[in-house]
């Protein structure tokens, strides 16, 4: 396992402050998308939802629409989500970068 400082990202990340909601089988919470890439999201939760690594989640926001993904990591009130890649997901992320950034 590599240390966080040595991690090489597949896609560059953009800092954001997009508000939204994350839901999984153990709960749901509003929060903020802290950073965004074509493949993933760092989401800061307002409430602990008991998200576990490997668990499927849905993300809803006005700017991004409806996305799905898998929890890759949890650290305090933040979770890392690897997006399920599809042409629809790619279009939604591209639209955000084009119109909202």
């Amino acid at each position: 396992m590599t240390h966080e400082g040595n991690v090489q990202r597949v896609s560059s990340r953009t800092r954001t402050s997009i508000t939204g909601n994350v839901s999984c089988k153990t709960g749901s919470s509003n929060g903020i998308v802290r950073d965004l890439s074509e493949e993933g999201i760092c989401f800061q939760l307002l409430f602990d939802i008991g998200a576990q690594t490997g668990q499927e989640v849905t993300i809803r926001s006005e700017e991004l629409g409806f996305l799905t993904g898998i929890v890759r990591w949890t650290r305090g009130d933040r979770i890392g989500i690897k997006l399920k890649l599809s042409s629809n997901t790619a279009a939604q992320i591209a639209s955000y970068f084009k119109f909202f950034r």
Side-chain angles (χ1 to χ4, degrees), residues 14-20 31-36 42 63 96:
T14 301
R15 293 208 183 279
T16 67
S17 56
I18 301 168
T19 57
I32 300 170
V33 176
R34 289 297 179 189
D35 67 43
L36 173 68
C42 173
E63 294 90 345
Y96 169 78

Side-chain angles (χ1 to χ4, degrees), residues 42-74:
C42 173
F43 196 93
Q44 185 174 14
L45 301 165
L46 293 179
F47 305 102
D48 183 12
I49 58 173
Q52 302 285 323
T53 301
Q55 192 170 43
E56 187 168 325
V57 295
T58 58
I59 304 105
R60 290 180 177 87
S61 85
E62 193 169 313
E63 294 90 345
L64 297 172
F66 178 84
L67 303 169
T68 59
I70 302 292
V71 176
R72 298 288 288 171
W73 53 263
T74 62

Side-chain angles (χ1 to χ4, degrees), residues 6-7 11 17 26 35 37 39 42 52 54 62-63 67 74 88 90 92-93:
N6 296 331
V7 172
S11 313
S17 56
T26 55
D35 67 43
S37 76
E39 298 189 11
C42 173
Q52 302 285 323
E62 193 169 313
E63 294 90 345
L67 303 169
T74 62
N88 186 49
Q92 288 170 271
I93 300 297

